[in-house]
Amino acid sequence: MELTTFWFAVIAFLWTGYFVLEGFDFGVGLLAPALSRNEAERRQVLGTIGPVWDGNEVWLITAVGAMFAAFPAWYAGMLSSFYLPLTLVLAGLIVRGVGLEWRGKVHHASDRAWCDLGIMVGSGLPAFLWGAVFADLLHGNALAALVGGVFSLSVCALHGAVFVALKTTGAVRARARRTAMAVSAVAVPAAVVALSGIPSARTAVADWTAAPWLWVCALAATAALAAGVALVWRGREGWAFTATASCLALGGLALFGALWPAPMPGLTVAEAASGPYTLGVLTWIGLAALPFVLGYQAWSYWVFRRRLVAEPV
C-alpha cells in the first residue's frame, strides 16, 4: 500500500473515531437541560461524559494534526474554504470546555446556569457545523450543507440520549429513552436523505453500480440507526448504543470513501500529500504511538463503565 493511501485511511479512521466518540458527548451536552429536572440529575447526566469528554477531543486534534503533516494542501484548502464555520466550531468547543470545567467549581445557581448554557450551545454548534462542513465539502452546495448539519445534529442528539440511558438509572434513564424516541423522528429521515446522497456525490447519476460498496455502507448506516431506535424502545441500551455508533462509523466510512481520491475539488490525494520522507517518518511515529493512545482510552472507558445514580446535593 502506498503511503499516501495509508495516511488517507488513517485520517479517515481518526475522523470517524471522533464522530463516534465526540458524537455522544455533543448529544449529552445538548440534551442535558431536557434530561434533568434538578441539580442532582444534572450532575448525573453530565457525569456520564465527565471522565471521557476531553479524551474524546484528542481524536480531533490528532486528525487535524495528521492532515497538516500528511496532506498540507488539503489541510490549507479546507481551513481556508471553511474559515468561518471552523472558527465557530473552535469557539463552541472552547465554550463547552469552560462550561464543563467551571460548573463544578461555582457555587451559585446563576453561575451554573451560565455554564449549562455554554455546554448546550458549545455542544450543539459543533455538532451541526461538522455535518454542514463535510456535506459542503462533498457536494458543494448550501442545501446539502443544511441537510448534513441537520443529520449530524440530530444523530448526535440521538446517540447522546442513548448513551445517557445506558449510563444512568431511575428517572433520568427513563427520560433519556423517551427523548431518544422523540429525536429519532428527525434523525432517521435526515439520515435517509443525507446518507443516500453520499455515494452519488462524485458521479453523474445516482447509480449504485458506480460505487456499490459506498451504497452498502450508506444503507447499512441507515439500517443501524433504525435498529438503534428499535433497541432503545425495547430497553436494550447497550445494543442500541452499538447501533448508533455503527451508524456514525459506517457513515464516516462512506463519506471518506466518496472523498477518495480527490478530497477537494481539483485536488487529488497525490497532489495534496507531503513528500515520501515526511510520510515515512510519520508512519513510524504513528505506529509507535497509536497503540498506546487506543489502549489508554479503552482502559478509561472500562474503568468508568458503571451506571451513575443521582446523589442528593
Side-chain angles (χ1 to χ4, degrees), residues 141-169:
N141 63 76
L143 179 60
L146 178 61
V147 172
V150 172
F151 163 71
S152 61
L153 179 63
S154 59
V155 172
C156 284
L158 176 57
H159 196 36
V162 173
F163 184 73
V164 172
L166 173 65
K167 293 286 291 179
T168 59
T169 60

Side-chain angles (χ1 to χ4, degrees), residues 173-192:
R173 180 187 180 189
R175 205 173 292 130
R177 289 173 58 186
R178 292 194 299 268
T179 302
M181 298 303 299
V183 172
S184 68
V186 177
V188 174
V192 172

Side-chain angles (χ1 to χ4, degrees), residues 65-80:
M67 285 179 64
F68 172 77
F71 300 101
W74 181 17
Y75 168 88
M78 185 172 173
L79 265 67
S80 60

Side-chain angles (χ1 to χ4, degrees), residues 36-280:
S36 53
R37 297 292 182 268
N38 52 54
E39 179 60 20
E41 290 185 350
R42 186 66 55 86
R43 292 187 181 185
Q44 184 185 13
V45 171
L46 294 177
T48 62
I49 61 172
V52 298
W53 69 269
D54 47 357
N56 293 341
E57 288 191 349
V58 172
W59 288 75
L60 173 63
I61 298 169
T62 309
V64 173
M67 285 179 64
F68 172 77
F71 300 101
W74 181 17
Y75 168 88
M78 185 172 173
L79 265 67
S80 60
S81 298
F82 301 102
Y83 184 83
L84 178 58
L86 293 181
T87 300
L88 292 175
V89 166
L90 182 60
L93 293 176
I94 292 172
V95 169
R96 184 185 69 140
V98 170
L100 288 167
E101 290 292 342
W102 280 10
R103 196 183 191 283
K105 299 177 174 62
V106 296
H107 304 289
H108 298 288
S110 59
D111 294 333
R112 287 196 296 268
W114 280 109
C115 290
D116 291 339
L117 179 63
I119 294 168
M120 184 175 66
V121 174
S123 298
L125 190 63
F128 177 85
L129 289 174
W130 280 128
V133 165
F134 278 98
D136 196 351
L137 185 66
L138 188 62
H139 296 280
N141 63 76
L143 179 60
L146 178 61
V147 172
V150 172
F151 163 71
S152 61
L153 179 63
S154 59
V155 172
C156 284
L158 176 57
H159 196 36
V162 173
F163 184 73
V164 172
L166 173 65
K167 293 286 291 179
T168 59
T169 60
V172 170
R173 180 187 180 189
R175 205 173 292 130
R177 289 173 58 186
R178 292 194 299 268
T179 302
M181 298 303 299
V183 172
S184 68
V186 177
V188 174
V192 172
V193 176
L195 293 171
S196 64
I198 292 177
S200 57
R202 297 299 177 87
T203 58
V205 293
D207 181 8
W208 75 270
T209 60
W213 73 273
L214 292 181
W215 281 103
V216 170
C217 288
L219 292 173
T222 306
L225 189 66
V229 175
L231 287 163
V232 76
W233 178 72
R234 296 184 60 187
R236 305 293 298 274
E237 292 98 345
W239 286 109
F241 182 74
T242 302
T244 54
S246 298
C247 170
L248 289 168
L250 290 166
L253 179 61
L255 169 66
F256 284 94
L259 289 175
W260 173 268
M264 295 192 70
L267 182 68
T268 66
V269 169
E271 294 169 339
S274 297
Y277 177 79
T278 300
L279 293 178

